[in-house]
Amino acid sequence: LYQCFLASRHSVITEELDVSNKDAFLLAALSLQATRGDYDAVHTAAGLAKEQLIPVRNQRELLSDASIKPADAGLMWAEEVIRIWRSLQGILRHLTVLKYIQIIQKHRRFAMQYFEVKNNQ
């Protein structure tokens, strides 16, 4: 199950799976809960802003919708992820992974793989 979680997380970050902005923040917080455990004050918004938690497509959408400077956007997203992460306090890691997988399974392109087909004729 954990390997499926890691593969799904990679698919979200690399934009192989399209997720809504709401789901992007929730999945980022669930990912942090699964990998780092409960929120601790050691994890700052400035530190998390440097990490790739939200897919770039979602970042661009949020920047176009809001009047936020691109320089401040990373910090704003990190603060929102931390707010959601705090609400997950006390949830066990394996349950967090399970919740992450449940959310990802609802997306239409989950578990689909496309291959390039070449005509040899």
Side-chain angles (χ1 to χ4, degrees), residues 5-17:
F5 159 72
L6 292 176
S8 298
R9 185 174 132 197
H10 182 267
S11 293
V12 169
I13 296 299
T14 59
E15 300 179 24
E16 292 173 21
L17 286 174

Side-chain angles (χ1 to χ4, degrees), residues 2 10 15 19-21 46 54 66 71 73 76 86 94 103 107 114:
Y2 194 74
H10 182 267
E15 300 179 24
V19 295
S20 67
N21 293 337
I54 307 292
M76 188 274 304
R86 282 183 183 157
H94 68 280
I103 292 169
H107 289 79
Y114 292 100

Side-chain angles (χ1 to χ4, degrees), residues 80-99:
E80 180 64 16
V81 169
I82 286 175
R83 186 188 65 76
I84 298 169
W85 187 13
R86 282 183 183 157
S87 70
L88 300 173
Q89 186 89 11
I91 298 177
L92 299 174
R93 290 181 185 204
H94 68 280
L95 295 177
T96 307
V97 168
L98 189 60
K99 181 67 176 172

Side-chain angles (χ1 to χ4, degrees), residues 26-69:
L26 179 58
L27 291 172
L30 286 168
S31 173
L32 289 171
Q33 181 71 13
T35 57
R36 299 183 184 181
D38 289 337
Y39 173 78
D40 188 1
V42 173
H43 307 292
T44 62
L48 291 179
K50 297 174 186 172
E51 296 183 30
Q52 181 67 33
L53 298 172
I54 307 292
V56 174
R57 183 187 59 79
N58 295 88
Q59 292 177 12
R60 275 187 255 128
E61 282 180 19
L62 290 167
L63 277 176
S64 66
D65 293 345
S67 59
I68 301 170
K69 297 177 189 174

